[in-house]
Amino acid sequence: MRRLTIRTKVILWYTMLILLLTGLLLVLTIALGRTFLRNSLYERVKEFVEENVERIQYEDGRYIIDEGYIDRENGMCCLAYDGDGTLLAGKLPTNISLDYDFVDGQFLEFYARQRTYYLYDRQVMFGDGGVIRLRGLIYDRESIHVITACIHAVLLILPFVVLLSVLGGQILLKHAFLPLEKAIRTADEISAGEDLSKRIPIGNERDEIAGLARTFNSMLERLERNFEQEKQYISNVSHELRTPVTVILSQCEVALESKTITEEERQILERIDRQARKISESIAQFLMFGRLERGMEKLELEPVDFSALVRHMCQDYRLLPDVVPEIEECVQDEIYLSLNREMMTRLVGNLLDNACKYGKDGGKVCVSMGRKEGFIILMVTDFGIGIEPQEQERIWDRFYQAPEAKGIAGSKGIGLGLYMVYEIAKLHGGEISVESTPGCGSTFTLKLKDDSF
């Protein structure tokens, strides 16, 4: 039941309710039918006995039974007794014994010979002391037919009731859930395109779903406002940091050209220069992303030998002194794509940087690229710490770092590397994904449409 949609659950409960009501209606119909039949049988046996009362007389101490006396008729029988209990007329049905006290006007129901019988007693007092007692019997031969007919009728119409309830439920719920489906589609569009300016259409509805949509729209407005403030804040900070970082770089350059500094001072200045350049590159990326998100800057593409770009990046990382893993490459030749060279260089560099940081000491990083089914597939694999399943969706978020990565030496960062990879891939119409097993490593896969396909 937990995996079913709300619509399916409602239809199931609705159908079960219809079946329950149908069953209750059947039971009620049978009960009322039996009551009606019982009252009808009582009236028939009473009328039968009363007719026979008029055909019995008492004269000179003798009981005279008229020829019109009927002792059996249509499943009924009428027994006539004198005051001493002697049977004067009529005959009991076979294998029936009446051990019930005679009470004038009583109705009695009893079961015998697998049948239900109804009994009616009538006592008549004559003026000269004579007493005649009439006992009428009738057996119920109609209830079983009525019950059987009701059950057959219910079984006959039950499939149609279920079918109509399911179809009717589908139609009703389709109209009832239409606003909710619109809300889901809008939410999916917002999630897919990250366009927080979209809103769920409400119209003039005043139901609970419309109330939920208004709450959702209000939440989107707050998120959009907070997100814009965050982007503006990052842009402002980036602008503010640009000038001091530029000053640091220029001063390092001047100091390194001096012939009076010692070797130790030169090494310190080179480390400062290297880190300052990293900060400068990050600031430039922040500003570029900010302009692209606001539509202030168009993504400029040019034909790029992607194969050569990936090979050069692998070679550059092999030459870095602090890169421990061995980098193996298997790159197909002459893959040209329309790319933004600067951005794609950043993407490949971030993937290599990530793989080298979290790969095992003395291990290796494998880089492969080639054509497959109309796409260019770039894969970067490390054999390091891996990523927990619950963290794999979050690694693309801005400023997020997985807990297992925070204790790795050399991994001090602010959680922007994979965020930039994701954004750059999206800007180029591509997809980036990860497959990872904790303790065994991770494979990041970039999928770009092949221009030549």
Side-chain angles (χ1 to χ4, degrees), residues 141-171:
R141 60 182 179 181
E142 298 180 6
S143 292
I144 187 66
H145 298 298
V146 172
I147 292 172
T148 303
C150 288
I151 292 175
H152 286 169
V154 169
L155 292 178
L156 182 63
I157 67 172
L158 190 60
F160 297 98
V161 171
V162 173
L163 181 62
L164 288 175
S165 65
V166 171
L167 293 177
Q170 284 278 17
I171 294 171

Side-chain angles (χ1 to χ4, degrees), residues 367-402:
V367 179
S368 64
M369 188 177 72
R371 289 186 170 91
K372 183 179 180 181
E373 298 177 354
F375 292 93
I376 303 301
I377 307 297
L378 170 66
M379 301 176 69
V380 179
T381 302
D382 66 70
F383 302 90
I385 61 173
I387 306 169
E388 295 291 339
Q390 66 271 18
E391 303 294 332
Q392 291 179 19
E393 287 295 325
R394 303 184 63 190
I395 60 174
W396 313 109
D397 295 343
R398 184 162 30 182
F399 304 121
Y400 181 78
Q401 284 186 297

Side-chain angles (χ1 to χ4, degrees), residues 167-396:
L167 293 177
Q170 284 278 17
I171 294 171
L172 291 174
L173 289 175
K174 181 178 180 180
H175 290 284
F177 278 73
L178 191 59
L180 186 58
E181 291 178 354
K182 290 181 180 178
I184 293 172
R185 283 198 301 269
T186 303
D188 289 339
E189 290 172 1
I190 293 171
S191 177
E194 299 184 1
D195 184 3
L196 295 177
S197 64
K198 290 187 176 181
R199 297 292 180 267
I200 299 173
I202 300 173
N204 297 322
E205 300 294 333
R206 290 291 182 271
D207 55 18
E208 292 84 352
I209 295 178
L212 176 63
R214 289 188 184 90
T215 303
F216 192 79
N217 286 342
S218 177
M219 179 187 68
L220 284 176
E221 289 176 3
R222 290 197 299 271
L223 286 174
E224 183 182 17
R225 186 167 55 251
N226 291 339
F227 195 62
E228 289 299 325
Q229 290 175 351
E230 177 189 337
K231 289 193 291 187
Q232 186 62 46
Y233 174 76
I234 293 173
S235 179
N236 293 340
V237 170
S238 299
H239 276 290
E240 291 297 324
L241 290 175
R242 199 172 196 179
T243 300
V245 170
T246 302
V247 172
I248 292 172
L249 286 171
S250 63
Q251 293 300 312
C252 284
E253 186 177 349
V254 172
L256 286 170
E257 291 177 354
S258 174
K259 300 186 182 298
T260 60
I261 60 173
T262 64
E263 184 60 29
E264 183 180 357
E265 291 171 338
R266 180 177 297 279
Q267 292 177 359
I268 293 172
L269 287 170
E270 286 176 349
R271 283 198 294 269
I272 294 173
D273 181 77
R274 189 162 52 249
Q275 297 302 320
R277 290 187 185 280
K278 287 184 178 180
I279 295 173
S280 179
E281 290 174 4
S282 297
I283 291 172
Q285 291 293 327
F286 272 133
L287 294 174
M288 181 177 59
F289 274 123
R291 289 193 296 269
L292 286 170
E293 287 174 341
R294 290 174 174 80
M296 298 170 61
E297 182 172 318
K298 185 178 180 181
L299 181 65
E300 294 185 0
L301 305 178
E302 60 178 320
V304 175
D305 185 348
F306 198 27
S307 302
L309 187 150
V310 173
R311 287 197 181 99
H312 290 157
M313 291 298 300
C314 291
Q315 184 61 27
D316 289 345
Y317 268 78
R318 289 192 189 97
L319 298 176
L320 293 177
D322 53 347
V323 174
V324 177
E326 176 189 353
I327 298 177
E328 293 183 356
E329 64 178 69
C330 180
V331 177
Q332 185 176 338
D333 293 331
E334 296 183 352
I335 294 179
Y336 287 87
L337 290 173
S338 294
L339 305 171
N340 182 293
R341 182 184 293 274
E342 181 183 356
M343 282 189 170
M344 199 53 64
T345 301
R346 169 67 67 175
L347 181 148
V348 176
N350 283 356
L351 290 179
L352 287 172
D353 187 61
N354 194 73
C356 291
K357 282 181 181 178
Y358 305 119
K360 289 182 178 178
D361 290 347
K364 64 180 178 179
V365 171
C366 296
V367 179
S368 64
M369 188 177 72
R371 289 186 170 91
K372 183 179 180 181
E373 298 177 354
F375 292 93
I376 303 301
I377 307 297
L378 170 66
M379 301 176 69
V380 179
T381 302
D382 66 70
F383 302 90
I385 61 173
I387 306 169
E388 295 291 339
Q390 66 271 18
E391 303 294 332
Q392 291 179 19
E393 287 295 325
R394 303 184 63 190
I395 60 174
W396 313 109

Side-chain angles (χ1 to χ4, degrees), residues 65-173:
I65 299 177
D66 191 89
E67 293 181 356
Y69 182 90
I70 303 173
D71 62 344
R72 286 180 179 275
E73 183 181 70
N74 296 329
M76 296 183 292
C77 68
C78 185
L79 310 174
Y81 300 89
D82 63 11
D84 297 328
T86 302
L87 181 64
L88 302 176
K91 183 180 179 181
L92 275 173
T94 307
N95 297 328
I96 289 183
S97 175
L98 297 178
D99 298 328
Y100 305 105
D101 293 336
F102 194 95
V103 179
D104 184 33
Q106 86 167 336
F107 285 103
L108 189 66
E109 178 181 346
F110 66 93
Y111 188 76
R113 297 198 313 174
Q114 298 181 346
R115 291 178 176 177
T116 300
Y117 286 84
Y118 298 97
L119 176 149
Y120 173 69
D121 289 338
R122 178 75 164 88
Q123 178 173 290
V124 180
M125 305 290 292
F126 294 97
D128 51 359
V131 178
I132 191 76
R133 293 173 177 173
L134 298 176
R135 172 163 279 179
L137 288 177
I138 186 171
Y139 74 87
D140 184 359
R141 60 182 179 181
E142 298 180 6
S143 292
I144 187 66
H145 298 298
V146 172
I147 292 172
T148 303
C150 288
I151 292 175
H152 286 169
V154 169
L155 292 178
L156 182 63
I157 67 172
L158 190 60
F160 297 98
V161 171
V162 173
L163 181 62
L164 288 175
S165 65
V166 171
L167 293 177
Q170 284 278 17
I171 294 171
L172 291 174
L173 289 175

